[in-house]
């Protein structure tokens, strides 16, 4: 099960139902109660100051259009249907819901203002409502969804690790009890996050780390996200269809950092490489690898002369074990964070292992409380 991240609330009121743009079918009765569907959102772990050398995981919705402009405001996209007499009708079809104001208390999201247009309304004739929400992309252009086209709402969303390094999340929800109370959408991470730590274990030799990166990995893929009852269907690598691999060394980090004995090198703690979930076994001519480039000076024990060494070599990703285990990491799964720990032992080779964790949740007792990225 994907790790829960946070939730988004949809509250309701009544007006007359307008003809919905982009609907497969339309149905226009006069609702018998009041309340337009309005949204409030807590924090999500979205991209913040993303670069190709690592994306930051944002922990709060705090970019309101009144402060940063509409184009840069936090937003999510929602798809929804209602069922009337066994027939499904589109209600939301990728509408953007944007944060317009942080409210009177900028540190508390409870009174934040979220808006979209045109408004939608609960329908007392509907026996069921279904919702699917996606957060992360700047627009819904990369999302393909026909809300009323299947029993559960299903969307295809394309992710490119080089061109769009943002955190991608999704949530599903179903309501069939006629209630008009707020709807809680639980969001899940559907990407994988990767970072690397390099440690010099040599007792007396300084090592300079030049770079690390990934080669022969899938950099572009399309994920199938499905609302399944009152939640999101479990996702694995099988939900992602690779469309582009690269033989170049990409992502990772480039630097010139000298490591003394037991010193560490890593991207800043809040930076990660966001990846499309994928199998790490060879794919055709592509063998997914972690590339390491470092150099050091060492005295030759036979000639007593100082020699400069500059190793640049690949580590096969599907041959790296989980830390303190013999289990190999053969795939990057949705909602998982992978920390590759590389120990450089001069004269004794390279030792690599991986720590695997979920994106952890913080229990939310009131609307707007959210996650901790830990």
């Amino acid at each position: 099960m994907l790790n829960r991240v946070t939730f988004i609330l949809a509250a309701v009121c009544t007006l007359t139902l307008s003809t919905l743009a982009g609907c497969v079918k339309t149905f226009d009765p006069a609702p018998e109660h009041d309340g337009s569907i309005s949204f409030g959102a807590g924090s999500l772990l979205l991209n913040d100051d993303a670069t190709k050398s690592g994306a930051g995981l944002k922990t709060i919705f705090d970019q309101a259009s009144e402060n940063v402009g509409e184009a840069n405001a936090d937003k999510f996209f929602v798809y929804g249907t209602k069922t009337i007499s066994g027939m499904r009708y589109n209600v939301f079809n990728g509408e953007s819901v944007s944060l317009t104001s942080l409210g009177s208390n900028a540190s508390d999201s409870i009174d934040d203002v979220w808006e979209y247009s045109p408004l939608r309304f609960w329908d007392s004739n509907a026996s069921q409502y279904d919702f699917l929400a996606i957060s992360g992309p700047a627009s819904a252009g990369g999302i393909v969804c026909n809300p009323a086209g299947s029993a559960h709402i299903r969307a295809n969303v394309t992710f490119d690790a080089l061109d769009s390094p943002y955190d991608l999340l999704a949530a599903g929800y179903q309501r069939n009890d006629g209630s008009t109370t707020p709807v809680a959408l639980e969001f899940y991470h559907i990407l994988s996050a990767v970072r690397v730590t390099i440690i010099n274990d040599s007792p007396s030799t300084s090592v300079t780390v030049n770079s690390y990166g990934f080669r022969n990995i899938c950099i572009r893929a399309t994920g199938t996200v499905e609302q399944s009852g009152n939640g999101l269907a479990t996702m694995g690598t099988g939900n992602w269809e690779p469309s582009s691999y690269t033989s170049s060394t990409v992502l990772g980090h480039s630097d010139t950092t000298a490591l003394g004995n037991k010193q560490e090198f890593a991207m800043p703690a809040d930076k990660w490489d966001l990846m499309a979930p994928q199998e790490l076994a060879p794919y055709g001519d592509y063998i997914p690898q972690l590339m390491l480039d470092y150099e050091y000076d060492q005295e030759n024990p036979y000639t007593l002369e100082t020699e400069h060494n500059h190793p640049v070599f690949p580590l096969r990703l599907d041959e790296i074990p989980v830390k303190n285990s013999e289990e190999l990491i053969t795939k990057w799964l949705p909602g998982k964070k992978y920390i590759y720990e590389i120990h450089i032992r001069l004269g004794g080779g390279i030792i690599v292992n991986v720590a695997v964790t979920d994106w952890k949740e913080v229990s939310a007792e009131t609307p707007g409380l959210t996650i901790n990225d830990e």
Side-chain angles (χ1 to χ4, degrees), residues 158-221:
T158 298
F159 176 78
D160 190 308
L162 302 185
D163 291 338
S164 50
Y166 47 71
D167 200 355
L168 189 59
L169 304 100
Y173 189 86
Q174 182 180 91
R175 171 169 292 178
N176 51 26
D177 61 1
S179 171
T180 59
T181 58
V183 175
L185 296 178
E186 298 182 13
F187 273 78
Y188 299 83
H189 292 272
I190 60 175
L191 297 178
S192 306
V194 180
R195 63 182 282 115
V196 174
T197 298
I198 302 171
I199 302 169
N200 177 19
D201 281 345
S202 60
S204 58
T205 303
S206 177
V207 175
T208 297
V209 176
N210 296 318
S211 68
Y212 72 84
F214 300 90
R215 186 171 71 178
N216 296 329
I217 63 170
C218 171
I219 56 173
R220 182 180 174 87

Side-chain angles (χ1 to χ4, degrees), residues 193-195 272 331-333 336-340 354-356:
V194 180
R195 63 182 282 115
W272 296 79
K331 60 183 69 175
W332 287 331
L333 292 169
K336 299 288 186 180
K337 297 178 359 182
Y338 299 87
I339 302 177
Y340 285 79
V354 186
V356 184

Side-chain angles (χ1 to χ4, degrees), residues 34-56:
D34 50 350
S36 62
I37 303 176
S38 58
F39 293 90
S43 307
L44 293 184
L45 302 179
L46 302 179
N47 175 49
D48 182 27
D49 190 27
T51 70
K52 293 184 180 181
S53 62

Side-chain angles (χ1 to χ4, degrees), residues 295-342:
E295 52 190 299
Y296 62 95
D297 293 326
Q298 189 175 42
E299 184 180 87
N300 186 309
Y302 301 103
T303 65
L304 301 181
E305 294 181 353
T306 298
E307 297 178 345
H308 184 70
N309 300 275
H310 188 177
V312 180
F313 59 89
L315 302 165
R316 277 188 56 159
L317 288 169
D318 65 340
E319 295 180 348
I320 298 175
V322 176
K323 190 172 184 177
N324 301 320
S325 169
E326 296 182 358
E327 177 187 358
L328 300 180
I329 297 294
T330 59
K331 60 183 69 175
W332 287 331
L333 292 169
K336 299 288 186 180
K337 297 178 359 182
Y338 299 87
I339 302 177
Y340 285 79
E341 189 176 283
I342 301 176

Side-chain angles (χ1 to χ4, degrees), residues 33-247:
H33 58 283
D34 50 350
S36 62
I37 303 176
S38 58
F39 293 90
S43 307
L44 293 184
L45 302 179
L46 302 179
N47 175 49
D48 182 27
D49 190 27
T51 70
K52 293 184 180 181
S53 62
L57 301 181
K58 187 172 180 178
T59 58
I60 188 171
F61 273 139
D62 60 356
Q63 300 300 297
S65 60
E66 66 178 9
N67 304 122
V68 299
E70 183 177 352
N72 298 313
D74 288 325
K75 62 175 69 72
F76 59 87
F77 304 96
V78 63
Y79 301 83
T81 65
K82 62 182 177 182
T83 301
I84 302 174
S85 300
M87 297 291 290
R88 288 163 59 84
Y89 302 89
N90 286 358
V91 179
F92 289 94
N93 198 3
E95 280 68 29
S96 174
V97 183
S98 298
L99 179 61
T100 59
S101 173
L102 295 179
S104 58
N105 185 350
S107 64
D108 188 348
S109 61
I110 195 67
D111 60 351
D112 289 351
V113 178
W114 294 80
E115 296 182 350
Y116 66 93
S117 180
L119 294 176
R120 305 295 192 267
F121 306 92
W122 290 99
D123 187 344
S124 61
N125 295 289
S127 60
Q128 181 171 297
Y129 275 86
D130 294 275
F131 298 92
L132 179 67
I134 295 175
S135 186
S139 75
I143 303 172
V144 178
C145 180
N146 175 11
S150 60
H152 292 146
I153 303 176
R154 182 183 298 121
N156 292 326
V157 56
T158 298
F159 176 78
D160 190 308
L162 302 185
D163 291 338
S164 50
Y166 47 71
D167 200 355
L168 189 59
L169 304 100
Y173 189 86
Q174 182 180 91
R175 171 169 292 178
N176 51 26
D177 61 1
S179 171
T180 59
T181 58
V183 175
L185 296 178
E186 298 182 13
F187 273 78
Y188 299 83
H189 292 272
I190 60 175
L191 297 178
S192 306
V194 180
R195 63 182 282 115
V196 174
T197 298
I198 302 171
I199 302 169
N200 177 19
D201 281 345
S202 60
S204 58
T205 303
S206 177
V207 175
T208 297
V209 176
N210 296 318
S211 68
Y212 72 84
F214 300 90
R215 186 171 71 178
N216 296 329
I217 63 170
C218 171
I219 56 173
R220 182 180 174 87
T222 299
T224 299
V225 187
E226 184 176 357
Q227 166 259 342
S228 180
N230 191 23
L232 193 70
T234 300
M235 293 185 67
T237 55
N239 293 87
W240 287 87
E241 183 66 31
S243 60
S244 181
Y245 279 75
T246 180
S247 58

